[in-house]
């Protein structure tokens, strides 16, 4: 799993697996946000299954699905409110990490300079978590 850190508390990545959830728990992630709609592609884990796996490992779970490039106000607000209410390390994911990154970046425009947002959002993974052998 390739992780990109957007700020002190938020990591983003592409689709996660059961093994990735276990690794996230071991790394201290306390909340997972899923930005994928169920059924986007064959073989994709369903939201309910990700939620069960996360909660079994003590990780809170939130599903804020974004279909295509439809970033409505309600979704952006829900994502921002979730980040504000979380008290620890968060992992947000979608198919590639782009929707999760965009949901983070949109409300940042109020408080951060555009250059800082664009720099943080560049695909430069800072951590690489290897799948357990």
């Amino acid at each position: 799993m390739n992780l990109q850190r957007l700020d002190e508390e938020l990591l983003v990545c592409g689709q996660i697996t059961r093994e990735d959830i276990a690794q996230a728990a071991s790394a201290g992630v306390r909340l997972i946000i899923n930005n994928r709609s169920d059924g986007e592609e064959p073989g994709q884990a369903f939201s309910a299954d990700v939620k069960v796996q996360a909660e079994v490992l003590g990780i809170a779970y939130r599903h804020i699905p974004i279909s295509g490039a439809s970033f409505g106000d309600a979704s952006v607000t829900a994502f921002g409110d979730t980040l504000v209410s979380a008290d620890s390390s968060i992992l947000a994911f979608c198919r590639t990490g782009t929707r999760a990154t965009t949901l983070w970046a949109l409300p940042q425009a109020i408080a951060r300079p555009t250059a800082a947002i664009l720099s943080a959002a560049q695909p430069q993974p800072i951590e690489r978590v290897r799948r357990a052998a």
Side-chain angles (χ1 to χ4, degrees):
M1 160 174 60
N2 290 323
L3 299 173
Q4 181 176 351
R5 182 172 298 282
L6 297 182
D7 63 23
E8 302 80 35
E9 295 181 349
L10 180 63
L11 300 164
V12 298
C13 67
Q15 179 66 47
I16 59 176
T17 65
R18 292 177 69 88
E19 293 82 14
D20 295 334
I21 297 168
Q23 290 176 357
S26 295
V29 168
R30 305 301 345 137
L31 170 65
I32 291 177
I33 303 172
N34 177 359
N35 296 128
R36 292 195 82 178
S37 297
D38 281 339
E40 285 183 10
E41 62 187 14
Q44 167 192 338
F46 285 98
S47 175
D49 296 332
V50 176
K51 178 180 181 178
V52 167
Q53 178 67 23
E55 289 178 348
V56 162
L57 295 171
I59 301 174
Y61 178 83
R62 184 81 195 271
H63 189 211
I64 306 171
I66 301 295
S67 297
S70 300
F71 293 91
D73 289 343
S75 298
V76 173
T77 299
F79 192 86
D81 289 349
T82 300
L83 295 181
V84 168
S85 67
D87 60 358
S88 59
S89 184
I90 304 161
L91 172 61
F93 77 93
C94 55
R95 188 177 67 80
T96 64
T98 301
R99 285 175 275 182
T101 300
T102 302
L103 282 167
W104 167 82
L106 288 170
Q108 299 298 316
I110 295 170
R112 295 183 187 212
T114 302
I117 296 167
L118 293 174
S119 176
Q122 290 300 311
Q124 301 169 4
I126 61 166
E127 299 179 43
R128 194 176 283 272
V129 178
R130 296 186 181 166
R131 297 185 197 283

